């Protein structure tokens, strides 16, 4: 019998949604793809369209332009989908919590499965987050 | 068909692994392409609201079916030299066009501006490489005295066709048009992940994307196999893998051309070269 969770966690295609981040998080995400960390070993790769994605990576403080787009992206994505709030801004609005452009943290707009805090998170932290998501999907945590 | 698919999964793994090694990475595990396909088939299938549903759904299925058919036609002579029929080389070349046409149809049916942009680019790309591909195959047909079956060309002489001057030119040109046919860098203008976000594939999800992926995998087997049969004599695994690695290395060492540059390259530089090769072949070189 084909093991659903095993297949889903062996091939995770990530769509990166950047709602006006300061680019630090984005650069750390690219770091994870570089030779030093190489997450393609685990079948993880970045895709360009949300329709191909298994994981939605939310970056940056969600502002008034970004919030409706984020909701739309979540609705468009083929399920099952894992949502990861990436960095302090997406998780809890970080240093922008008093900004006039803020809306809500990502988890109050769409269901979030995992948080990777940090400003920006280190690549090790990102891989740790990925491992936790995979374990959660497999029901080990 | 299953064999072609299994071979395609292996070929795709070789491609990704070589790419990774070129970039000094470790690369994905052996069964990664298989997991990708299986995963796509258990995902939800989203069809855009404004899409032309029938065409949108049929395009990937057609692409997959034709790719499997091509793999059969091109693959059988490699194993059973007595199989095939006179003229199967043309059947293969016509059929090789259909996955690209299906991609154009699917992209145009998905009601997305980037997808239609990708479709139009794919159309221009077909216009540019198809002539070169046909003439380079014609060179071999001329050189073998009008043999038009794959098995016939393979058993015509003991030396591979690519070793003569005209054959060598035609082989290099066929390699380049094969690169364009497979949608690989430097001719990946139709997909162009960084500018038009995978073009015609953008709206495809789940099983339908899986069908497209599978047809890509199978083409990655069928096309280099066909070219190696025509130009390199009797097919074997080593020749095929070498050809595949050459494709991947070209892919990894070149930037993407613009669509206008592709068209100029194929029409004004490679086509005249191809015709020179044809003249050389007619002169018996």
């Amino acid at each position: 019998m084909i093991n659903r969770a095993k297949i889903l966690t062996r091939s995770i295609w990530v769509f990166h949604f950047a709602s006006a981040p300061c680019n630090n998080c984005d650069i750390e995400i690219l770091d994870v793809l570089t030779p030093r960390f190489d997450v393609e070993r685990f079948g993880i790769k970045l895709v360009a369209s949300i329709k191909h994605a298994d994981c939605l990576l939310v970056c940056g403080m969600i502002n008034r332009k970004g919030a409706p787009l984020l909701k739309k992206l979540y609705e468009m994505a083929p399920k099952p989908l894992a949502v990861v709030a990436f960095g302090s801004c997406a998780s809890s609005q970080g240093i922008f919590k008093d900004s006039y452009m803020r809306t809500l943290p990502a988890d109050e707009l769409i269901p979030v499965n995992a948080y990777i805090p940090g400003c920006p998170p280190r690549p090790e932290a990102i891989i740790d987050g990925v491992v936790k998501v995979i374990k959660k999907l497999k029901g080990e945590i | 068909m299953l064999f072609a698919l299994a071979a395609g999964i292996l070929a795709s793994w070789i491609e990704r692994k070589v790419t990774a090694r070129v970039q000094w990475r470790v690369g994905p595990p052996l069964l990664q392409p298989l997991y990708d396909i299986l995963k796509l088939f258990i995902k939800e299938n989203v069809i855009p609201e404004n899409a032309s549903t029938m065409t949108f759904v049929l395009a990937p299925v057609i692409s997959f079916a034709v790719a499997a058919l091509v793999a059969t036609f091109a693959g059988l002579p490699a194993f059973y030299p007595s199989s095939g029929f006179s003229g199967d080389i043309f059947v293969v070349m016509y059929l090789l066009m259909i996955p690209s046409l299906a991609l154009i149809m699917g992209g145009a049916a998905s009601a997305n501006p980037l997808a239609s942009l990708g479709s139009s680019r794919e159309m221009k790309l077909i216009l540019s490489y198809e002539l070169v591909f046909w003439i380079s195959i014609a060179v071999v047909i001329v050189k073998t005295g009008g043999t038009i079956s794959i098995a016939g060309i393979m058993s015509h002489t003991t030396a591979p066709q690519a070793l003569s001057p005209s054959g060598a030119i035609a082989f290099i040109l066929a390699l380049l048009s094969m690169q364009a046919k497979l949608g690989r860098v430097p001719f990946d203008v139709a997909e162009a992940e960084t500018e038009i976000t995978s073009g015609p594939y953008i709206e495809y999800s789940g099983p339908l994307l899986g069908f497209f992926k599978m047809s890509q995998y199978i083409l990655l087997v069928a096309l280099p196999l066909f070219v190696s049969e025509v130009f390199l004599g009797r097919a074997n695994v080593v020749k095929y893998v070498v050809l595949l690695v050459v494709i991947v290395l070209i892919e990894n060492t070149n930037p993407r051309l613009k669509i206008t540059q592709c068209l100029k390259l194929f029409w004004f530089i490679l086509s005249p070269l191809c015709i020179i090769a044809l003249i050389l072949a007619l002169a018996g070189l």
Side-chain angles (χ1 to χ4, degrees):
Chain A
M1 195 54 211
I2 297 169
N3 188 342
R4 248 179 94 89
K6 188 179 175 190
I7 292 168
L8 281 174
T9 49
R10 281 292 180 96
S11 156
I12 302 179
W13 292 0
V14 179
F15 179 82
H16 173 201
F17 172 73
S19 173
C22 64
N23 273 156
N24 266 333
C25 286
D26 309 66
I27 289 166
E28 292 303 318
I29 290 167
L30 294 181
D31 268 359
V32 180
L33 301 170
T34 53
R36 190 166 179 141
F37 301 102
D38 188 24
V39 283
E40 204 191 359
R41 285 178 295 160
F42 314 116
I44 299 172
K45 65 172 187 176
L46 277 182
V47 290
S49 161
I50 183 71
K51 296 280 173 78
H52 307 172
D54 309 301
C55 172
L56 174 60
L57 211 56
V58 185
C59 262
M61 196 265 308
I62 318 289
N63 56 26
R64 290 184 208 174
K65 292 244 168 157
L69 291 177
L70 181 59
K71 283 183 178 171
K72 214 171 168 181
L73 274 178
Y74 183 76
E75 284 159 11
M76 271 161 69
K79 310 294 178 301
L81 177 80
V83 182
V84 176
F86 191 89
S88 303
C89 295
S91 309
S92 62
Q93 298 190 325
I95 57 169
F96 299 107
K97 67 182 174 52
D98 296 322
S99 161
Y100 58 91
M101 271 307 280
R102 78 193 186 282
T103 50
L104 292 163
D107 57 354
E108 290 180 37
L109 290 164
I110 56 172
V112 170
N113 301 73
Y115 303 86
I116 303 179
C119 185
R122 292 185 59 80
E124 292 89 338
I126 300 170
I127 293 175
D128 187 45
V130 170
V131 171
K132 275 186 180 149
V133 174
I134 289 175
K135 277 188 176 163
K136 190 162 191 179
L137 286 172
K138 282 185 177 167
E140 285 175 16
I141 294 185
Chain B
M1 195 184 89
L2 278 177
F3 176 76
L5 194 57
I9 284 170
L10 265 180
S12 170
W13 174 75
I14 293 176
E15 185 195 0
R16 285 174 71 173
K17 190 76 179 178
V18 173
T19 308
R21 293 310 300 163
V22 168
Q23 295 169 356
W24 217 248
R25 291 188 287 123
V26 177
L30 178 61
L31 287 178
Q32 190 54 48
L34 178 67
Y35 282 122
D36 286 353
I37 295 285
L38 288 176
K39 177 208 67 182
L40 284 172
F41 275 89
I42 55 174
K43 290 274 286 185
E44 185 190 17
N45 196 10
V46 182
I47 295 176
E49 202 179 348
N50 298 326
S52 151
T53 314
M54 192 71 178
T55 329
F56 186 80
V57 173
L58 275 181
V61 180
I62 290 175
S63 170
F64 171 65
V66 172
L69 195 61
V70 167
T72 318
F73 276 124
L76 272 184
F79 297 107
Y80 308 104
S82 57
S83 68
F85 48 89
S86 183
D88 58 356
I89 194 166
F90 297 123
V91 175
V92 168
M93 287 175 65
Y94 273 117
L95 286 178
L96 277 176
M97 236 185 275
I98 296 182
S100 312
L101 295 180
L103 181 60
I104 293 173
M105 269 168 37
S110 52
N112 183 308
L114 293 173
S116 34
L117 197 60
S119 288
S120 94
R121 285 183 181 194
E122 178 76 21
M123 230 181 286
K124 285 166 201 152
L125 201 60
I126 291 182
L127 278 181
S128 44
Y129 67 69
E130 206 63 40
L131 180 69
V132 175
F133 191 54
W134 279 84
I135 299 181
S136 60
I137 300 292
V139 168
V140 173
I141 294 177
V142 167
K143 281 183 64 61
T144 53
T147 314
I148 48 171
S149 74
I150 297 174
I153 287 177
M154 276 200 296
S155 57
H156 189 265
T157 49
T158 44
Q161 300 298 334
L163 285 185
S164 62
S166 58
I169 301 175
F171 175 57
I172 292 168
L173 297 178
L175 255 183
L176 286 175
S177 38
M178 183 166 75
Q179 197 86 5
K181 253 187 187 313
L182 290 170
R184 295 294 191 267
V185 191
F187 307 113
D188 67 331
V189 275
E191 293 178 39
E193 292 232 326
T194 41
E195 41 177 312
I196 54 170
T197 61
S198 40
Y201 300 110
I202 187 170
E203 289 289 345
Y204 279 98
S205 60
L208 292 180
L209 184 64
F211 273 115
F212 263 136
K213 283 275 168 211
M214 286 199 295
S215 68
Q216 280 179 344
Y217 291 170
I218 293 178
L219 282 183
L220 197 57
V221 175
L223 206 50
L225 190 64
F226 174 65
V227 170
S228 83
E229 281 168 349
V230 171
F231 287 98
L232 302 178
R234 181 147 321 289
N236 64 34
V237 177
V238 178
K239 283 176 191 166
Y240 165 73
V241 172
V242 168
L243 209 54
L244 184 65
V245 171
V246 168
I247 295 174
V248 179
L249 289 182
I250 297 177
E251 180 181 354
N252 275 300
T253 45
N254 282 286
R256 183 187 308 127
L257 292 176
K258 288 182 201 161
I259 185 70
T260 48
Q261 290 169 326
C262 283
L263 210 67
K264 271 184 194 151
L265 176 69
F266 274 109
W267 280 13
F268 299 119
I269 300 173
L270 300 186
S271 295
L273 254 178
C274 221
I275 290 167
I276 291 171
L278 190 60
I279 294 168
L280 281 177
L282 284 170
L285 280 170

